[in-house]
Amino acid sequence: MIHEAVKKLVTYGMETGLIEKTDAVYTTNVILETLGISEYEEPPETYHNVELEPVLKELLDYACQSGIIEDSIGYRDLFDTKIMACLVPRPSTVIRKFNTLYKQAPEKATDFYYKFSQDTDYIRRYRIKKDLRWKSETPYGEIDISINLSKPEKDPKAIAAAKTAKQSGYPKCQLCMENEGYAGRLDHPARQNHRIIPVTVNGQPWGFQYSPYVYYNEHCIVFNREHVPMQISRDTFVKLLDFVRQFPHYFVGSNADLPIVGGSILSHDHFQGGRYEFAMAKAPMEEKIVIRGFPKLEAGIVKWPMSVIRLRSEDIAELTAAGDKILKAWRAYTDEDAFIYAETRGEPHNTITPIARKCRGKYELDLVLRNNITTEEHPLGVYHPHKELHHIKKENIGLIEVMGLAVLPARLKGEMEKLADAIVCGKDLRADADIEKHAKWAESFMKHYSSIDRNNIEDIIHAEIGRVFGRVLEHAGVYKRTPEGKAAFHRFIDSL
């Protein structure tokens, strides 16, 4: 059986183009060595359209039964990456092919690299497809909702082992160049099947890769080759627009550089991009504005729950200069009547989440105004999902969600299934500890439906979660979409 699995994996490598037919014997021997197998008789069967997940399971089961690894998800994830590394060419080969295709067209290069990143199992397609995704209609357009199920749950054995393991500072974080080919450990993912494409951004060496979790199509990460912290500045706008110039079929954006309103990794300067049109990109400029000193620049306030200024021009230098003017002004801006404070007790609060794209022959730069001030009433942030929404979304609102894609916690899958059953069966929503926190919300929306049954309950819950996420974004907006909020927004614009 194990010999069959080995041959299937080699066949998978040839079918995906990771290896050529002339590599088959060599690759077989490398896999055998990895599995500690010294004898091999090639099965006579011929395999076609090999699916990776069941083959890896066979190989991992053998490794567990043979005592090569412990049978837990942490050890399995480390070892299946080691197995896949037997099929993956060296970085120089991948880079050479990417660059050759790029000369033909940027899309050809990224098409190759995205498929490659999936074929190598760096992007685990069979896990990604478990994520729940749907679209929800809001006053701001159709937004994306996802419940993230692709990240593996914490492995109890790995947690226990990590307590006694020697702490390592290599690689410094999961975005560092040193991850390429790294064997991993229980507290750091294996990356032997990972290849990084070098790119030059504004004259500086950066790296280009895809996210292993793929929240949207061709979800990529562009990162500084040096482990330096995130910082939003004029240079950020130059880099974003330079990347879009090189890859005009992609958008790219940066998380903000302050806690609460920033991303999960503030210690390493990086951007996220991809080939996807978010709801915010589709949202129109509902009101034109003028930025003094830039008479040719198109500018306006975007119809979006968060506070967004959109700049549009064919001239990258003009966009950069205008963006820098707005950023500097916002960093220093205080409006006590609107509860906007540039700083308190020396702690800065104002920053920007920027997004760049090319649209209809012009470059666009969206500047989302952010503020991370906290109060006793809102200890997690005034411009952050408020407590009444935490039953659905409590985590930070970063770049992806700013643009209109909710990344919701895995717990919601089970909780919503229980809630749906309780609603349809007329059960006490407060009797189950898992769904008690959703009771008030459910009771508020149930009265708006004349009929709720097994046939429509899932659609109803999906729609209501979408409405909650719309409110999440409204809470994160520094200027509310009220007459008072719009007036305050204009006070800032007039100050420019």
Side-chain angles (χ1 to χ4, degrees):
M1 291 292 291
I2 190 61
H3 291 181
E4 292 176 2
V6 170
K7 185 173 181 180
K8 287 177 185 176
L9 185 61
V10 173
T11 302
Y12 170 85
M14 290 188 288
E15 289 184 329
T16 56
L18 292 174
I19 63 172
E20 298 179 18
K21 189 174 182 179
T22 51
D23 299 321
V25 172
Y26 169 83
T27 304
T28 298
N29 285 329
V30 175
I31 296 170
L32 293 174
E33 180 186 6
T34 304
L35 293 167
I37 298 172
S38 57
E39 300 288 337
Y40 177 72
E41 183 173 338
E42 183 172 315
E45 293 85 359
T46 301
Y47 303 107
H48 301 284
N49 301 318
V50 175
E51 290 186 32
L52 183 59
E53 184 180 16
V55 175
L56 285 179
K57 183 180 185 305
E58 288 182 59
L59 296 170
L60 290 170
D61 287 347
Y62 173 84
C64 293
Q65 293 159 10
S66 302
I68 299 172
I69 60 170
E70 289 190 42
D71 190 5
S72 73
I73 191 167
Y75 289 101
R76 280 175 169 260
D77 277 5
L78 291 173
F79 196 71
D80 70 4
T81 306
K82 185 175 183 179
I83 292 172
M84 288 304 300
C86 300
L87 305 177
V88 183
R90 289 181 180 274
S92 57
T93 302
V94 180
I95 293 166
R96 192 178 304 115
K97 184 166 184 178
F98 182 93
N99 289 339
T100 298
L101 291 170
Y102 181 87
K103 291 174 183 176
Q104 299 174 26
E107 294 93 331
K108 286 189 176 182
T110 54
D111 285 350
F112 150 71
Y113 184 42
Y114 189 53
K115 180 180 181 298
F116 173 86
S117 298
Q118 295 174 83
D119 291 341
T120 60
D121 208 35
Y122 168 70
I123 297 173
R124 298 172 184 260
R125 281 179 283 210
Y126 45 87
R127 286 187 182 168
I128 301 298
K129 69 182 182 182
K130 295 178 183 177
D131 289 348
L132 301 181
R133 303 174 188 271
W134 68 91
K135 292 184 179 291
S136 188
E137 193 60 50
T138 74
Y140 314 105
E142 201 175 50
I143 60 175
D144 296 290
I145 310 293
S146 71
I147 295 179
N148 183 7
L149 303 173
S150 56
K151 285 188 179 181
E153 295 180 11
K154 295 292 185 181
D155 181 348
K157 289 186 178 181
I159 293 171
K163 289 181 180 179
T164 58
K166 181 181 177 181
Q167 294 299 305
S168 172
Y170 179 87
K172 291 186 176 70
C173 78
Q174 291 188 30
L175 290 180
C176 286
M177 291 293 295
E178 291 77 14
N179 283 281
E180 187 175 44
Y182 184 59
R185 52 185 190 268
L186 289 173
D187 62 346
H188 192 104
R191 290 290 183 253
Q192 294 106 313
N193 58 348
H194 180 36
R195 299 294 180 263
I196 297 169
I197 304 298
V199 291
T200 300
V201 183
N202 189 29
Q204 299 175 10
W206 278 50
F208 170 64
Q209 66 180 56
Y210 289 103
S211 166
Y213 302 112
V214 189
Y215 291 134
Y216 49 86
N217 187 48
E218 297 182 41
H219 178 185
C220 69
I221 300 172
V222 190
F223 60 99
N224 198 316
R225 288 180 70 93
E226 301 297 324
H227 183 75
V228 294
M230 298 273 295
Q231 184 177 12
I232 302 299
S233 66
R234 178 192 183 103
D235 196 41
T236 305
F237 305 145
V238 176
K239 289 172 182 173
L240 293 173
L241 290 163
D242 189 39
F243 182 81
V244 171
R245 178 188 62 78
Q246 297 177 65
F247 298 91
H249 58 301
Y250 276 11
F251 83 89
V252 68
S254 175
N255 272 302
D257 55 357
L258 293 179
I260 296 177
V261 297
S264 58
I265 302 179
L266 295 179
S267 61
H268 195 128
D269 194 14
H270 71 285
F271 307 143
Q272 294 182 79
R275 198 171 190 172
Y276 190 72
E277 189 176 29
F278 287 86
M280 192 179 84
K282 298 176 186 177
M285 289 194 288
E286 63 180 350
E287 185 179 353
K288 295 291 181 69
I289 61 174
V290 175
I291 309 296
R292 282 196 293 268
F294 300 90
K296 296 180 181 179
L297 183 73
E298 293 179 60
I301 296 173
V302 178
K303 184 182 179 183
W304 194 244
M306 299 186 70
S307 306
V308 186
I309 296 174
R310 177 168 294 162
L311 308 178
R312 183 183 292 146
S313 175
E314 295 177 356
D315 186 343
I316 287 178
E318 182 181 43
L319 276 182
T320 300
D324 184 49
K325 179 177 183 176
I326 293 168
L327 173 63
K328 286 177 178 175
W330 180 244
R331 292 273 197 202
Y333 187 73
T334 291
D335 182 347
E336 294 185 6
D337 290 340
F339 204 77
I340 303 293
Y341 293 87
E343 58 86 23
T344 55
R345 296 184 293 277
E347 179 187 350
H349 296 305
N350 288 349
T351 185
I352 278 176
T353 299
I355 301 103
R357 69 183 73 87
K358 195 166 187 182
C359 182
R360 295 185 293 277
K362 292 186 178 182
Y363 293 97
E364 288 185 351
L365 188 62
D366 283 354
L367 304 175
V368 187
L369 307 182
R370 311 298 302 274
N371 181 288
N372 74 347
I373 196 168
T374 61
T375 62
E376 288 187 10
E377 182 183 3
H378 301 295
L380 297 183
V382 172
Y383 306 107
H384 177 87
H386 292 177
K387 188 175 181 180
E388 66 266 25
L389 307 182
H390 288 179
H391 65 103
I392 297 293
K393 178 66 176 177
K394 185 177 181 180
E395 297 78 14
N396 292 358
I397 304 304
L399 171 68
I400 294 171
E401 290 171 314
V402 163
M403 296 184 292
L405 192 161
V407 182
L408 302 179
R411 64 174 172 82
L412 284 178
K413 180 179 184 294
E415 291 174 5
M416 292 303 106
E417 288 172 353
K418 280 190 173 185
L419 181 65
D421 181 69
I423 291 173
V424 170
C425 296
K427 297 178 183 177
D428 180 358
L429 302 184
R430 290 174 170 76
D432 188 322
D434 287 340
I435 62 172
E436 181 184 9
K437 57 180 168 290
H438 300 297
K440 185 176 180 180
W441 167 62
E443 289 164 354
S444 70
F445 71 68
M446 285 165 59
K447 59 189 178 185
H448 297 300
Y449 295 90
S450 58
S451 174
I452 300 179
D453 54 36
R454 292 284 180 195
N455 294 322
N456 65 5
I457 184 61
E458 183 179 271
D459 289 342
I460 288 171
I461 288 179
H462 282 183
E464 295 299 332
I465 288 177
R467 291 188 179 94
V468 169
F469 185 62
R471 291 181 61 203
V472 163
L473 295 180
E474 289 171 347
H475 286 187
V478 293
Y479 294 118
K480 307 309 176 189
R481 293 182 59 79
T482 61
E484 296 79 12
K486 290 180 179 180
F489 201 164
H490 275 281
R491 286 200 295 273
F492 169 65
I493 291 168
D494 291 342
S495 74
L496 295 172

